[in-house]
């Protein structure tokens, strides 16, 4: 087994790999977790594919063991990650696992369907049909995983709504508190130079956690939404492009990495 030690990043709910890609490019050990992993996104890192409700910090420690100690890349299942943890525990003590395999950073983009204020007209229905509770279960699971991994830094992303907010009325307000950082994708685009850049659009997003605030581009400018109609680009994309709408902007990811690497 190689003993090379690199910085470690875990990215939860990471289908595309966009947010964690700058870390992969910089040579970090990167583990991505999602119910559907894009195979093309893990050629230089490790993807754990499966329902996060069936995942645990032990499985993620196992995945880190495979990625860091064995230099494994590609896609594995949660079961394989957990098996790797049991193998790791035969080589390392629990203290060594908690220290040598401890991530420096955890990113998490919790599914926001039941939380975003864009769906406010559906909140009552989602409360009664179990959708809200399902999303809260996902939040609680990933939050407990983050606590168990005990990273040096962590960040959780979600749009304005009822997860936690500035009015102190969020469903997990007691855990997260008011959002300390907010942004739109266009904040990181040099709009005066590239007025038609694909990421020059509005999509209000909050960040919570322990991280350094990314710096916005000094020459950004608010985009012209008229070409997308009265609803703007995000709604224009339509519900069938849900994953595209939730994809992390590349220029934000770059700025976040530069502030947190």
């Amino acid at each position: 087994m190689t003993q090379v030690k690199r910085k470690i990043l875990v990215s939860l709910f990471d289908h595309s790999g966009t947010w964690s890609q700058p870390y992969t490019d910089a040579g970090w050990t990167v583990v991505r977790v999602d119910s559907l992993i894009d195979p093309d996104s893990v050629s230089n890192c490790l993807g754990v594919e499966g329902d996060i409700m069936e995942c645990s910090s032990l499985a993620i420690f196992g995945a880190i063991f495979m990625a860091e100690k064995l230099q494994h890349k590609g896609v594995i299942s949660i079961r394989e990650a957990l098996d790797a943890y049991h193998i790791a525990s035969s080589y390392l003590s629990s203290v060594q696992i908690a220290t040598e395999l401890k991530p420096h950073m955890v990113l998490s983009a919790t599914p926001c369907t039941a939380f975003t204020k864009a769906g406010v007209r559906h909140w009552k229905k989602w409360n009664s049909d179990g959708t809200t509770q399902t999303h809260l279960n996902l939040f609680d699971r990933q939050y407990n995983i983050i606590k168990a991994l005990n990273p040096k830094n962590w960040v959780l992303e979600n749009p304005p709504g009822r997860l936690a907010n500035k009015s102190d009325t969020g469903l997990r307000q007691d855990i997260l508190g008011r959002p300390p950082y907010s942004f739109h994708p266009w904040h990181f685009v040099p709009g005066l130079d590239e007025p038609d850049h694909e990421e020059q659009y509005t999509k209000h997003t909050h960040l919570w956690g322990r991280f350094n605030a990314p710096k916005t581009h000094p020459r950004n400018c608010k985009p012209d939404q008229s070409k997308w109609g009265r609803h703007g680009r995000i709604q224009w994309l339509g519900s069938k492009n849900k994953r595209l709408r939730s994809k992390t902007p590349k220029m934000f990811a770059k700025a976040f990495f530069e502030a947190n690497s």
Side-chain angles (χ1 to χ4, degrees):
M1 292 188 298
T2 180
Q3 296 300 313
V4 175
K5 176 63 177 176
R6 301 178 292 171
K7 284 188 175 181
I8 299 168
L9 177 128
V10 173
S11 188
L12 306 177
F13 301 106
D14 195 348
H15 166 67
S16 68
T18 304
W19 197 354
S20 55
Q21 189 61 47
Y23 292 90
T24 302
D25 294 341
W28 284 44
T29 294
V30 173
V31 172
R32 296 171 177 162
V33 183
D34 194 77
S35 59
L36 181 62
I37 296 289
D38 178 359
D40 293 335
S41 75
V42 290
S43 59
N44 289 313
C45 63
L46 183 66
V48 180
E49 189 169 68
D51 186 349
I52 199 168
M53 294 303 296
E54 299 176 2
C55 194
S56 67
S57 58
L58 300 186
I60 293 178
F61 276 131
I64 294 172
F65 175 77
M66 292 183 69
E68 169 65 17
K69 302 294 186 179
L70 306 181
Q71 302 290 289
H72 191 88
K73 297 178 178 64
V75 181
I76 63 172
S77 67
I78 292 174
R79 179 72 259 174
E80 290 172 313
L82 191 57
D83 289 344
Y85 169 79
H86 294 308
I87 294 173
S89 63
S90 67
Y91 289 95
L92 305 170
S93 67
S94 57
V95 173
Q96 287 176 307
I97 288 175
T99 54
E100 294 184 25
L101 303 181
K102 177 180 178 177
H104 295 80
M105 171 70 80
V106 175
L107 313 174
S108 186
T110 312
C112 65
T113 301
F115 304 137
T116 175
K117 65 182 181 182
V120 63
R121 67 186 182 279
H122 302 298
W123 286 357
K124 188 174 181 178
K125 173 181 177 294
W126 288 337
N127 288 345
S128 62
D129 69 13
T131 300
T132 299
Q133 188 59 52
T134 295
H135 280 72
L136 285 172
N137 291 343
L138 289 171
F139 170 84
D140 292 341
R141 175 55 64 95
Q142 57 87 43
Y143 187 75
N144 288 332
I145 286 175
I146 291 172
K147 287 197 300 182
L149 293 175
N150 190 29
K152 179 181 179 181
N153 295 298
W154 63 276
V155 59
L156 187 151
E157 176 272 335
N158 227 245
R162 58 175 182 164
L163 182 60
N165 52 53
K166 295 179 180 180
S167 301
D168 296 327
T169 60
L171 297 172
R172 289 297 180 266
Q173 194 76 31
D174 57 331
I175 293 175
L176 296 176
R178 297 184 179 186
Y181 185 87
S182 301
F183 71 95
H184 286 280
W186 65 267
H187 290 167
F188 303 94
V189 179
L192 296 179
D193 297 336
E194 302 177 63
D196 295 320
H197 193 284
E198 63 178 1
E199 292 184 352
Q200 194 186 24
Y201 61 90
T202 60
K203 184 175 183 287
H204 198 189
T205 303
H206 294 322
L207 299 180
W208 293 264
R210 189 165 59 239
F211 60 93
N212 296 321
K215 294 182 179 179
T216 58
H217 197 283
R219 295 197 308 276
N220 66 52
C221 65
K222 194 169 184 178
D224 177 9
Q225 295 281 61
S226 62
K227 63 181 178 180
W228 306 114
R230 66 186 181 88
H231 295 299
R233 178 180 182 271
I234 297 305
Q235 289 84 351
W236 176 83
L237 286 171
S239 58
K240 66 180 180 180
N241 292 316
K242 182 178 178 181
R243 280 197 179 272
L244 180 59
R245 289 186 293 123
S246 63
K247 187 175 180 180
T248 302
K250 290 181 180 179
M251 300 192 80
F252 158 75
K254 179 177 181 292
F256 186 88
F257 168 76
E258 290 172 348
N260 294 275
S261 60

